[in-house]
């Protein structure tokens, strides 16, 4: 038998053993490296194994003032420092840290997402000794990364995305406890088969639905109409119902995907100018998402431009909403003269991720419309 399967088999058997194999050491000295090169500072065989993929953001932010909740530097703290700041985490799981990036979430790119998804599939999904994973992330675009991972990592193991609204140097910083709760959920067998989840502020939410609803407050991540999957009580996850697949969710295999085609989002407003649409396409956009007024609405003139782009240039256009919640049903945007695409319950940023993934699979307008239609009710 090849060496790697032997190692994985041995580690899988150790995972159910009772004695302490390796104890926690200090000064960031790694005491165990697994077959995938993940470094653990503790290997207690009575605990599950969780990997933290760190990307930066407010949870790793820093400022000279303990009262600063704006104007701080994002991504100033590395993953090992995050882990060391929450020693209680090691009572929950054996944790390995991987520094994927260390930036504000506005600088997360599709290249980072593709790389992270492939690594999650390889070092977490394919490793029987790994219980799940946590991704630390800035909150501004956290829901986009969460939606991407929900679509592209589908092995059933908990993939938990977590952030913070206060930097690590602030009084009552929320990051440490959020991280502890995220690791706890990732380590929990009851969290399996629920897709990617966002865990913050004692709440467990589906990555498919959750969105940031407030620019500043700690209770910002919500799924207004759909609700939460569960909550954390004394660092114990309580799920309200068994695992269920969100209506319209589609899984993607991006093993052979090297890039995501460019998709632009255009915001609808009174007296909207058509040249914004054509300029986006001439600049390289292969798909367009409209953050429409109400249920996907645009001006009459802009709607004519959309139909020109669809019919003449064969560019898919998805009509979403600029409101925080609601649905864009196909009946509100459909036409007899062009294949309009309704976003259903997906907001513009999630519609952009889904459209980009579909384009990366070579789907045409009709096929793309069929996928989006799975998430609409009319």
């Amino acid at each position: 038998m090849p060496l790697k399967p032997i190692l994985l088999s041995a580690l899988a058997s150790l995972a159910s053993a009772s004695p302490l194999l390796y104890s926690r050491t200090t000064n960031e000295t790694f005491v165990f490296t697994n077959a995938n090169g993940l470094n653990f500072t503790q290997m207690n065989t009575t605990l599950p194994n969780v990997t933290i993929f760190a990307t930066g953001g407010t949870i790793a932010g820093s400022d000279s003032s303990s009262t600063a909740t704006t104007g701080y530097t994002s991504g100033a703290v590395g993953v090992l420092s995050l882990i060391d700041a929450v020693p209680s985490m090691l009572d929950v799981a054996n944790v390995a840290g991987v520094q994927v990036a260390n930036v504000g979430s506005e600088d997360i790119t599709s290249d980072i997402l593709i790389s992270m998804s492939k690594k999650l599939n390889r070092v977490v999904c394919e490793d029987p000794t790994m219980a799940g994973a946590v991704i630390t992330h800035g909150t501004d675009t956290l829901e986009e990364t969460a939606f991407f991972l929900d679509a592209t990592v589908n092995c059933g193991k908990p993939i938990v995305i977590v952030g913070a609204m206060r930097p690590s140097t602030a009084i009552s910083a929320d990051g440490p406890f959020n991280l502890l709760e995220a690791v706890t959920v990732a380590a929990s067998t009851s969290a399996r088969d629920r897709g990617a989840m966002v865990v913050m502020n004692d709440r467990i939410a589906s990555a498919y639905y959750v969105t940031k609803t407030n620019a500043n407050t700690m209770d910002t991540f919500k799924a207004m109409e759909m609700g939460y999957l569960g909550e954390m009580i004394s660092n114990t996850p309580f799920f309200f119902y068994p695992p269920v697949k969100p209506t319209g969710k589609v899984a993607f295999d991006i093993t052979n995907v090297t890039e995501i085609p460019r998709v632009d989002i255009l915001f609808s407003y009174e007296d909207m100018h058509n040249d914004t649409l054509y300029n986006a396409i001439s600049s390289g956009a292969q798909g367009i998402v409209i953050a429409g007024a109400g249920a996907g609405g645009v001006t009459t003139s802009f709607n004519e431009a959309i139909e020109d782009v669809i019919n003449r240039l064969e560019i898919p256009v998805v009509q979403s909403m600029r409101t925080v919640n609601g649905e864009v049903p196909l009946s509100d945007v459909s036409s007899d003269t062009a294949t309009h695409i309704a976003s259903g319950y997906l907001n513009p940023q999630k519609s952009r991720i889904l459209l980009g993934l579909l384009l990366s699979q070579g789907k045409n307008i009709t096929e793309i419309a069929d996928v989006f239609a799975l998430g609409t009710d009319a």
Side-chain angles (χ1 to χ4, degrees):
M1 181 182 292
L3 179 59
K4 184 174 179 180
I6 291 174
L7 283 172
L8 292 178
S9 176
L11 286 171
S13 63
L14 283 173
S16 60
S18 57
L20 184 69
L21 179 61
Y22 293 110
S23 61
R24 168 76 170 171
T25 61
T26 58
N27 299 322
E28 300 175 358
T29 300
F30 300 120
V31 298
F32 183 78
T33 301
N34 76 358
N36 284 312
L38 297 177
N39 295 315
F40 294 82
T41 55
Q42 148 185 298
M43 186 49 64
N44 182 337
T45 56
T46 67
L47 297 176
N49 303 328
V50 172
T51 300
I52 298 176
F53 291 79
T55 69
T58 299
I59 194 170
S62 178
D63 194 271
S64 58
S65 171
S66 63
T67 59
T69 57
T70 61
Y72 49 83
T73 301
S74 296
V77 179
V79 64
L80 294 179
S81 295
L82 290 177
I83 293 171
D84 285 341
V86 191
S88 298
M89 188 189 307
L90 297 175
D91 295 328
V92 174
N94 304 310
V95 177
V98 177
Q99 195 75 51
V100 177
N102 211 358
V103 296
S105 64
E106 64 276 5
D107 286 325
I108 296 293
T109 65
S110 59
D111 288 342
I112 292 174
L113 294 181
I114 291 171
S115 175
M116 183 160 50
S117 176
K118 289 181 177 181
K119 183 165 285 190
L120 280 164
N121 278 294
R122 180 173 61 85
V123 306
V124 177
C125 287
E126 296 178 8
D127 184 346
T129 72
M130 294 298 298
V134 169
I135 293 86
T136 64
H137 202 286
T139 60
D140 286 352
T141 66
L142 183 149
E143 67 192 83
E144 296 171 58
T145 292
F147 186 85
F148 185 93
L149 296 178
D150 186 54
T152 61
V153 183
N154 291 281
C155 60
K157 294 183 179 181
I159 305 299
V160 180
I161 300 86
V162 65
M165 292 301 291
R166 294 176 178 173
S168 62
T169 49
I171 296 174
S172 299
D174 53 326
F177 202 71
N178 283 349
L179 183 57
L180 174 61
E181 291 187 332
V183 169
T184 302
V185 172
S188 172
T189 56
S190 63
R192 290 183 61 93
D193 300 315
R194 297 179 184 272
M197 291 165 282
V198 173
V199 174
M200 288 182 62
N201 200 43
D202 297 335
R203 299 293 190 271
I204 307 169
S206 166
Y208 188 83
Y209 288 123
V210 74
T211 189
K212 187 174 182 178
T213 65
N214 189 291
N216 311 108
T217 62
M218 288 193 294
D219 61 343
T220 178
F221 281 93
K222 300 176 182 179
M224 293 290 196
E225 304 298 331
M226 303 83 180
Y228 296 104
L229 299 180
E231 65 177 345
M232 300 293 292
I233 303 175
S234 297
N235 200 39
T236 301
F238 179 85
F239 288 97
F240 299 137
Y241 37 77
V244 63
K245 178 182 175 181
T247 301
K249 177 181 173 179
V250 178
F252 291 87
D253 180 356
I254 62 167
T255 303
N256 298 319
V257 172
T258 57
E259 64 178 357
I260 304 296
R262 173 174 167 175
V263 176
D264 285 0
I265 299 175
L266 301 179
F267 197 88
S268 177
Y269 51 88
E270 292 179 350
D271 198 25
M272 191 176 186
H273 297 288
N274 298 353
D275 57 4
T276 59
L277 177 59
Y278 292 107
N279 288 343
I281 294 169
S282 65
S283 297
Q286 298 180 44
I288 299 291
V289 174
I290 306 296
V298 294
T299 66
T300 300
S301 174
F302 200 88
N303 187 68
E304 292 172 353
I306 287 176
E307 298 206 346
D308 175 53
V309 164
I310 294 169
N311 293 327
R312 183 172 58 86
L313 302 179
E314 298 184 347
I315 299 289
V317 179
V318 176
Q319 289 175 251
S320 184
M321 64 287 195
R322 67 186 192 185
T323 55
V324 175
N325 291 286
E327 182 201 7
V328 178
L330 183 58
S331 58
D332 272 19
V333 300
S334 62
S335 166
D336 294 332
T337 53
T339 304
H340 290 250
I341 302 172
S343 71
Y345 287 93
L346 297 181
N347 60 24
Q349 51 269 40
K350 293 185 178 183
S351 297
R352 173 185 166 275
I353 295 291
L354 179 55
L355 180 54
L357 284 168
L358 289 166
L359 288 170
S360 75
Q361 305 285 317
K363 303 298 184 183
N364 61 36
I365 292 178
T366 301
E367 293 169 327
I368 291 170
D370 288 343
V371 170
F372 273 90
L374 297 173
T376 62
D377 63 8

